[in-house]
Amino acid sequence: MTTTSPAKRRLENYLPPEGVPIMFDLASLGTRLGAQIVDVLITFGGVFVVILLVVWSGLLAGSALVTLFLLLVFFVRIPYYIFSELVWNGRTLGKRITKIRVISTDGRRLTPHQITARNLMKEIEVFTPITTLIGASAMTGLEQTVLILWVLLVLIIPFTNRRRQRLGDMIAGTVVVDQPKTTLLPDLATAPLASSRGYEFHPEHLEIYGRFELQTLETILRSPPKGPEERKRVHDIARTIIGKIGYHEKVPQNQEWEFLVDFYRYQREYLESRQLFGDARENKFHADKTDDA
């Protein structure tokens, strides 16, 4: 699902196997063009060096030299795009410089099949038609017109769909996005104590919830409440947890935020300790092993 804003289009609801939604900025067409120019300069630059050496040595000339050039371009360009995206997980040197990357639309890691498919389609879409137009002098006017129309059509396609996908992306199930900046958020478990008193929790309080609820609570605790609606949300969550875990100690309303932070710490430590023994609790519906005995 995508939404459109005046400045950028965003790819929303990107759901990786871990189950935590991630939102990426779709790469602009200008940035993608810049990355493509860099990659073309890299691939053609290497080929031109070889051609200059062949010319200097006098081994080939005329049509044979042109044929060698076309073959080198083909056999350098395809491996370059495929292997670089395989090694750098959806990035060529051009994409690394412009800080964009290819991702799979199904939320999973890019597969060799997807990378190969999208880059072979690039040959069919643009490179082979353009190379044919430049190198084939015996083409009729109709054939040249057809190739030109084909190239124009495939170049227009990214402008006509919300995810800015070209044909190769549609076939491979990929999309090009901005490389997100890595920002490490502070660890809530090592932050200063939430309250001067510190609420304590026992195993019977902590065996109710699982990893999913802990991640949800952490997301909430990243932003302290500022308005009445947010404070009411904190109140509702705190009272729900208090009732669910059977917490009998009194929690004043002005201490509910501190209660949630302390509960998060205890719950995280408890789940991590169980994880060490291979007893991971996914969510509150996760049945204990003892339940099946």
Side-chain angles (χ1 to χ4, degrees), residues 193-238:
L193 288 174
S195 59
S196 57
R197 52 175 296 176
Y199 291 96
E200 294 185 359
F201 302 88
H202 303 291
E204 59 268 23
H205 299 139
L206 305 172
E207 61 186 9
I208 305 299
Y209 292 111
R211 183 174 60 182
F212 174 78
E213 288 81 13
L214 183 71
Q215 292 172 339
T216 303
L217 180 59
E218 179 177 356
T219 301
I220 295 169
L221 295 177
R222 290 290 180 192
S223 302
K226 298 178 181 179
E229 292 184 3
E230 294 181 359
R231 286 193 287 270
K232 182 179 184 304
R233 184 187 183 195
V234 169
H235 171 76
D236 293 340
I237 293 172

Side-chain angles (χ1 to χ4, degrees), residues 51-83:
I51 293 298
L52 287 176
L53 291 175
V54 172
V55 172
W56 178 77
S57 65
L59 294 176
L60 295 174
S63 61
L65 190 62
V66 174
T67 301
L68 175 64
F69 172 77
L70 295 177
L71 288 174
L72 284 176
V73 167
F74 184 79
F75 287 109
V76 168
R77 184 173 58 222
I78 292 180
Y80 166 79
Y81 284 102
I82 292 176
F83 287 124

Side-chain angles (χ1 to χ4, degrees), residues 181-290:
K181 295 181 180 179
T182 302
T183 303
L184 296 179
L185 296 174
D187 190 344
L188 294 178
T190 59
L193 288 174
S195 59
S196 57
R197 52 175 296 176
Y199 291 96
E200 294 185 359
F201 302 88
H202 303 291
E204 59 268 23
H205 299 139
L206 305 172
E207 61 186 9
I208 305 299
Y209 292 111
R211 183 174 60 182
F212 174 78
E213 288 81 13
L214 183 71
Q215 292 172 339
T216 303
L217 180 59
E218 179 177 356
T219 301
I220 295 169
L221 295 177
R222 290 290 180 192
S223 302
K226 298 178 181 179
E229 292 184 3
E230 294 181 359
R231 286 193 287 270
K232 182 179 184 304
R233 184 187 183 195
V234 169
H235 171 76
D236 293 340
I237 293 172
R239 294 303 154 184
T240 299
I241 292 177
I242 290 171
K244 186 72 176 179
I245 68 177
Y247 194 78
H248 299 298
E249 186 177 345
K250 185 177 180 181
V251 180
Q253 186 169 352
N254 62 355
Q255 287 285 309
E256 289 172 340
W257 178 262
E258 289 79 2
F259 168 83
L260 290 177
V261 174
D262 290 341
F263 176 73
Y264 168 84
R265 292 179 174 179
Y266 274 88
Q267 184 72 64
R268 174 172 165 176
E269 181 180 354
Y270 179 74
L271 292 177
E272 288 177 350
S273 66
R274 294 186 67 172
Q275 179 72 36
L276 292 177
F277 295 97
D279 187 14
R281 187 176 185 86
E282 296 296 329
N283 52 54
K284 62 185 178 183
F285 303 108
H286 186 95
D288 290 331
K289 294 179 181 178
T290 54

